[in-house]
């Protein structure tokens, strides 16, 4: 049940999740702790303890050591710190990035793709991997792209627009084989997105060297995220200051945000299996109900997908108009990622191929913790009414 009094239906959980009760309580409980974790007096020691307890809880959920978790302000900073921090480290070691090769999937979040644009600007060669028509990058496609000079591969675990879940373990195995053949090291970075809500996020099972997640997409407080670093990889700091977070991220830490983040991730783990089944069933009802009246609706992203995302394209509509009309009817959805709002079309859906209208006329419904069966019926009814009109 939605914890706030509202007549509205919120189906934009992929853009931002509400702060769940457990996270709110943990954050509120620790807001009064005003000590700086870097000090040595009692107040600082208490702040440090809260921060490290949260770090340990998050590390437990990811199946790693606490010292391998670096707190950031969110996923965007985590991706920048991981990718560009590695680029800076490599650049210092090799006297520049010329001669290095990097691989990224074409359907990544802008906070990842822009990092690789910067790497290209600095002289690195970048290969973009296209997905198939269903939204998946095949391991064979990665294998063909790997070169002896490849240094880093970045593929998101679960896509933020169409929900496709990529086979990270297969990618890591392909990379390991390539490393052995050429006697080199190639690192694997992933933006975990909202996958930790519905998939067990044990990074060793996934085989990644860097993993990024943000609390604001996982029912935790906004303004905090985490970057996991394996023992194999080294990065350089991207900001100057007091040398917090192993010297990799300057700035006074926020223990109350870290506590809320840890509580949100822990709560998600406790209900993961039931939420996967519940949301997948609601999502499928939404799609079949829409298709019954609007058979021209085309689903973007099929197969192994997150249970809460339904992305469709409809011909002969103005997607923004439909979103605004639904908003007026008390329903919140989106056309694409909020971080891609200025794009004329979805670069993710465009990568799937098909007719031009498909990438322009996208509607993303993303369900969540407080979505009910009644909400689904209301959304389907209003969408059909607006489109048919």
């Amino acid at each position: 049940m939605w914890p706030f009094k509202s007549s509205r239906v919120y189906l934009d959980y992929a853009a931002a999740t509400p702060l769940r009760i457990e996270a709110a309580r943990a954050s509120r409980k620790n807001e009064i702790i005003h000590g700086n974790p870097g000090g040595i007096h009692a107040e600082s020691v208490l702040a440090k303890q809260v921060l490290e307890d949260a770090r340990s809880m998050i590390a437990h959920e990811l199946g790693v050591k606490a010292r391998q978790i670096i707190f950031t302000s969110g996923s965007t900073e985590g991706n920048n710190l991981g990718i560009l921090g590695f680029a800076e480290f490599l650049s210092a070691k090799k006297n520049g990035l010329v001669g290095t090769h990097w691989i990224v999937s074409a359907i990544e979040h802008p906070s990842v793709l822009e990092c690789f644009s910067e790497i290209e600007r600095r002289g690195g060669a970048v290969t973009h991997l296209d997905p198939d028509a269903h939204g998946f990058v095949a391991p064979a496609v990665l294998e063909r792209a790997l070169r002896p000079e490849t240094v880093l591969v970045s593929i998101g675990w679960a896509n933020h627009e169409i929900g496709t879940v990529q086979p990270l373990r297969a990618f890591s195995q392909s990379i390991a084989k390539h490393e052995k053949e050429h006697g080199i090291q190639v690192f694997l970075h992933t933006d975990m997105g909202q996958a930790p809500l519905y998939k067990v996020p044990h990074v060793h099972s996934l085989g990644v060297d860097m993993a990024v997640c943000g609390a604001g997409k996982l029912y935790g407080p906004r303004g905090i995220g985490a970057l996991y670093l394996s023992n194999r990889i080294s990065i350089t700091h991207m900001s100057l200051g007091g040398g917090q977070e192993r010297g990799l991220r300057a700035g006074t830490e926020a223990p109350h945000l870290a506590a809320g983040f840890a509580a949100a991730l822990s709560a998600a783990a406790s209900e993961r299996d039931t939420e996967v089944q519940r949301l997948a069933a609601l999502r499928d009802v939404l799609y079949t109900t829409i298709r019954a009246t609007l058979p021209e609706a085309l689903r973007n992203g099929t197969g192994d997908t997150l249970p809460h995302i339904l992305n469709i394209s409809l011909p002969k509509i103005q997607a923004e108009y439909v979103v605004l009309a639904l908003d007026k009817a008390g329903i919140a959805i989106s056309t694409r990622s909020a971080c891609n709002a200025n794009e004329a079309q979805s670069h993710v859906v465009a990568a799937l191929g098909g007719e031009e209208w498909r990438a322009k006329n996208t509607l993303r419904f993303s369900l969540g913790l407080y979505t009910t069966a009644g909400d689904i019926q209301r959304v389907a009814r209003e969408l059909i009414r607006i489109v048919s009109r």
Side-chain angles (χ1 to χ4, degrees):
M1 182 179 178
W2 185 256
F4 313 106
K5 289 185 178 180
S6 175
S7 60
R8 292 180 60 81
V9 174
Y10 184 74
L11 290 193
D12 201 18
Y13 284 83
T17 50
L19 185 65
R20 64 181 302 149
I21 297 301
E22 297 89 342
R25 286 173 179 163
S27 291
R28 219 166 24 237
K29 176 184 175 183
N30 293 287
E31 271 182 331
I32 60 172
I33 297 174
H34 53 276
N36 188 315
I40 60 173
H41 52 66
E43 288 82 358
S44 289
V45 170
L46 178 58
K48 183 71 169 179
Q49 186 62 56
V50 171
L51 184 71
E52 295 310 317
D53 285 348
R55 195 189 309 273
S56 295
M57 287 177 65
I58 293 169
H60 173 74
E61 296 302 333
L62 299 186
V64 300
K65 304 283 188 184
R67 60 179 170 77
Q68 295 176 302
I69 299 298
I70 306 299
F71 283 121
T72 67
S73 64
S75 294
T76 291
E77 186 190 357
N79 286 324
N80 276 259
L81 177 57
I83 297 168
L84 295 181
F86 175 66
E88 287 287 351
F89 175 82
L90 203 62
S91 181
K93 187 177 178 181
K94 292 180 173 289
N95 196 28
L97 296 181
V98 174
T100 62
H101 177 239
W102 309 67
I103 298 174
V104 63
S105 89
I107 58 174
E108 294 304 305
H109 189 272
S111 65
V112 172
L113 292 175
E114 288 301 314
C115 288
F116 284 91
S117 295
E118 175 63 14
I119 286 168
E120 282 187 302
R121 190 187 71 79
R122 297 185 190 183
V126 177
T127 297
H128 293 78
L129 303 181
D130 288 323
D132 63 19
H134 303 287
F136 296 94
V137 176
V141 172
L142 171 61
E143 289 170 10
R144 288 194 294 270
L146 288 167
R147 304 178 190 170
E149 60 271 24
T150 303
V151 294
L152 181 76
V153 175
S154 178
I155 301 177
W157 191 9
N159 188 265
H160 56 292
E161 287 195 29
I162 59 177
T164 46
V165 179
Q166 303 296 345
L168 289 183
R169 186 62 187 172
F171 296 145
S172 69
Q173 290 170 342
S174 295
I175 290 171
K177 180 182 176 183
H178 181 76
E179 288 178 318
K180 188 174 181 180
E181 289 175 352
H182 296 276
I184 59 173
Q185 280 190 311
V186 180
F187 302 102
L188 179 57
H189 161 276
T190 191
D191 182 341
M192 302 181 90
Q194 291 189 300
L197 291 174
Y198 310 111
K199 300 278 186 178
V200 178
H202 288 171
V203 295
H204 291 302
S205 298
L206 298 173
V208 299
D209 296 291
M210 291 193 284
V212 172
C213 54
K217 296 292 182 76
L218 304 172
Y219 299 99
R222 295 177 198 176
I224 190 163
L227 166 64
Y228 155 76
L229 295 173
S230 77
N231 294 331
R232 291 203 325 149
I233 195 167
S234 296
I235 67 171
T236 297
H237 61 79
M238 299 300 294
S239 59
L240 301 176
Q244 292 88 347
E245 297 299 302
R246 286 171 45 191
L248 294 175
R249 199 241 178 192
T252 302
E253 302 96 337
H256 70 291
L257 295 181
F261 183 8
L265 203 55
S266 179
S270 69
E271 64 193 12
R272 188 175 285 127
D273 292 342
T274 56
E275 275 298 278
V276 166
Q277 295 180 20
R278 188 183 74 87
L279 292 177
L282 290 176
R283 176 201 61 193
D284 292 346
V285 168
L286 177 60
Y287 183 53
T288 54
T289 304
I290 292 171
R291 285 270 297 179
T293 303
L294 303 172
E296 67 274 23
L298 179 64
R299 183 174 176 181
N300 301 310
T302 56
D304 184 10
T305 60
L306 294 182
H308 71 306
I309 292 180
L310 173 64
N311 187 306
I312 64 171
S313 294
L314 284 162
K316 300 178 183 178
I317 66 163
Q318 291 184 349
E320 288 78 9
Y321 169 79
V322 173
V323 170
L324 290 173
L326 285 171
D327 184 50
K328 188 175 181 181
I331 297 166
I333 70 164
S334 62
T335 57
R336 59 186 73 91
S337 167
C339 297
N340 298 76
N342 294 325
E343 291 184 355
Q345 63 179 18
S346 165
H347 76 276
V348 174
V349 177
L352 307 183
E355 297 182 62
E356 187 177 352
W357 64 264
R358 181 180 180 184
K360 291 182 177 180
N361 300 357
T362 58
L363 300 173
R364 182 184 67 179
F365 307 85
S366 48
L367 291 57
L369 199 57
Y370 306 111
T371 305
T372 67
D375 292 338
I376 295 302
Q377 294 301 326
R378 177 179 166 187
V379 171
R381 183 171 62 249
E382 288 295 336
L383 176 68
I384 291 168
R385 179 184 65 82
I386 290 165
V387 174
S388 297
R389 184 181 64 190

